[in-house]
C-alpha cells in the first residue's frame, strides 16, 4: 500500500515538475522585452553573468562574491617598490556554471567569467601570528572568455579593470591586448591563459590540467 | 489583449508554483527514513551541511569550496619562527544560507558552519610581482555554531581541526575550549567570536557589525 502511494506521488510529482517547467518557459516568453539584460554568453534560462553597454563596455559586475573562490595571491606594495601591479590581496572568483564545466573538462568554457577583487593589506599581526590580513576593498578586474566578442584576442579572453582605488569605474572598455592578454598568453598558455599554477582549487578538480 | 494574456499566464504560473511546492513537500514526506543524513542544524529541506558520528566527532566536511568565500589571511611560516599556528594561507568559507542570514542581520545563525582551509606558500614570485602564491592544500579546520551540541561553549561555537598536513584526519572530536574558543572569545567578542575585522567580505554586508 505504501509502495503504491509512493508510485502515485512520484507520478504526480513528475507531471507537476513538467508543468512547472512549461509554466516557467511561458513566463519567460511573455516577459517584457529587455527584462533580461542581453549578454554574449548568458546560460539558457538564467540572467546574464555580466552586462555590456551597447558600445562594448563592461558594466561593473555584481554578485561575484557568491561565486566560487579560486585563490588568493598576495602582492604587497611593500615587496613591490611601493606599488604592486595588483595591490595587494587578489581574491579570484569564477562563475559557478563555468566552474562546474571546468570540473568535468579541465577547460574554460565559452562565456567563463573570472573576477579578481583586490584589497589592501591591513593588519600585519593577529592572534594567529605575523603575516598579512585583508584591509579594505580597493580594486576590481574581470576576464571574460567570449569567442564572439573577443574573437581576435588570444584564447578569446577580454580583460577589464575598474581601477585600483575606490570609487571604482562604473563601466570600462577592454584593456589593450598588450596590457594583459600578452602576459597571460606568454605565461599561462598551457592552462587556458589562466594562472592555475597558483590556484590549488583549480588544480584539485581539473581532470588533466595541472 | 497582450495585457490580459499576461495576467492569465501569471495566474496559471502562481497556481502551478503552489502545486509544485506542495508536490515537493509530498515527495519528501514519503522519502525513505535516513535518506537525509541527520545533523544538528540542517536547514529544512536540505541535506546536512556537516555530519557527526554518533559519539560527537565531526566527519571531514565536503563541498565547502563552493560556499561563500570570506577571506584569506596569510601567516607564512617564515614570519613565524618556521611554524605558524595556521600554516599558511587561510581560505575561510561560510555556508551560503548562513551568509544570507548574516547579510540580513549581521548575526551568525544557529547552525552556521565556517571552514578554514589551509595551503602552503608556493611561489614567491609571479608575473604579477613579488609576494605569496598558494602552493598545495595542507590543512582543514571548522567552526560550527550549535546551541544544542555546544551549549556550554562560549558563543555556542565548536572548533575542529583535521590537521595541518595531508592526509587529513577523517573525523575529529572538538578541540578543548582553551585551544580555540578562549582566544576567539577574548579577541572577537564584539563580532560573534568571528574575526570579521580581517574579512572585508563580511564587513561589507553586515548591517551593523564592523
Amino acid at each position: 500500500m505504501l509502495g503504491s502511494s509512493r508510485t502515485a506521488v512520484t507520478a504526480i510529482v513528475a507531471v507537476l515538475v513538467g508543468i512547472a517547467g512549461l509554466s516557467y518557459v511561458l513566463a519567460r516568453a511573455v516577459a517584457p522585452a529587455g527584462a533580461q539584460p542581453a549578454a554574449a554568453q548568458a546560460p539558457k534560462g538564467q540572467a546574464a553573468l555580466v552586462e555590456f553597454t551597447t558600445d562594448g563596455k563592461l558594466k561593473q559586475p555584481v554578485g561575484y562574491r557568491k561565486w566560487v573562490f579560486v585563490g588568493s595571491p598576495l602582492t604587497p606594495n611593500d615587496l613591490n617598490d611601493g606599488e604592486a601591479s595588483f595591490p595587494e590581496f587578489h581574491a579570484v572568483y569564477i562563475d559557478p556554471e563555468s566552474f562546474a564545466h571546468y570540473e568535468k573538462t579541465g577547460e574554460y568554457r565559452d562565456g567563463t567569467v573570472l573576477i579578481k577583487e583586490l584589497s589592501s593589506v591591513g593588519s600585519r599581526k593577529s592572534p594567529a601570528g605575523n603575516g598579512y590580513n585583508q584591509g579594505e576593498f580597493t580594486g576590481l578586474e574581470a576576464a571574460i572568455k567570449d569567442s564572439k566578442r573577443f574573437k581576435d584576442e588570444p584564447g578569446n579572453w577580454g580583460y577589464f579593470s575598474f581601477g585600483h582605488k575606490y570609487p571604482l569605474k562604473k563601466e570600462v572598455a577592454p584593456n589593450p591586448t598588450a596590457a594583459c592578454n600578452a602576459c597571460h598568453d606568454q605565461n599561462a598558455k598551457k592552462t587556458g591563459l589562466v594562472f592555475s599554477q597558483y590556484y590549488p582549487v583549480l588544480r584539485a578538480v581539473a581532470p588533466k590540467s595541472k
Side-chain angles (χ1 to χ4, degrees), chain A:
Chain A
M1 181 63 192
L2 183 61
S4 64
S5 311
R6 272 192 201 158
T7 308
V9 171
T10 305
I12 293 168
V13 170
V15 170
L16 289 172
V17 167
I19 294 172
L22 177 62
S23 71
Y24 178 63
V25 171
L26 285 170
R28 284 186 57 79
V30 296
Q36 293 290 329
Q41 302 292 341
K44 281 175 190 167
Q46 292 201 355
L49 290 168
V50 290
E51 287 183 62
F52 290 90
T53 62
T54 50
D55 60 346
K57 288 180 179 170
L58 178 64
K59 296 184 185 178
Q60 197 181 110
V62 294
Y64 54 85
R65 286 181 199 149
K66 294 179 182 171
W67 293 2
V68 177
F69 169 68
V70 166
S72 55
L74 169 63
T75 49
N77 281 333
D78 62 17
L79 295 180
N80 292 280
D81 300 325
E83 192 174 344
S85 308
F86 299 95
E88 295 173 282
F89 277 97
H90 315 200
V92 180
Y93 299 88
I94 186 172
D95 69 279
E97 290 211 13
S98 296
F99 183 72
H101 182 87
Y102 185 85
E103 279 184 294
K104 285 184 198 154
T105 63
E107 308 275 342
Y108 299 99
R109 67 171 188 165
D110 205 24
T112 298
V113 180
L114 292 168
I115 297 287
K116 178 185 282 190
E117 179 155 53
L118 302 170
S119 55
S120 62
V121 169
S123 171
R124 293 293 308 272
K125 197 173 174 62
S126 79
N130 301 315
Y132 298 85
N133 293 282
Q134 283 171 274
E136 304 298 334
F137 291 126
T138 53
L140 193 64
E141 316 255 329
I144 300 171
K145 186 179 171 86
D146 186 328
S147 59
K148 288 178 188 160
R149 197 176 283 274
F150 309 116
K151 62 181 162 46
D152 298 328
E153 293 284 345
N156 300 138
W157 286 100
Y159 295 85
F160 299 83
S161 177
F162 294 89
H164 291 175
K165 191 178 175 184
Y166 271 43
L168 300 173
K169 293 166 190 158
K170 297 288 184 199
E171 49 189 50
V172 294
N175 285 327
T177 305
C180 305
N181 214 323
C183 174
H184 280 254
D185 191 35
Q186 191 177 338
N187 293 292
K189 193 144 195 145
K190 286 183 185 172
T191 49
L193 274 63
V194 176
F195 286 99
S196 51
Q197 64 266 45
Y198 305 128
Y199 301 126
V201 167
L202 294 178
R203 294 203 309 273
V205 299
K208 288 177 189 173
S209 74
K210 191 191 168 193

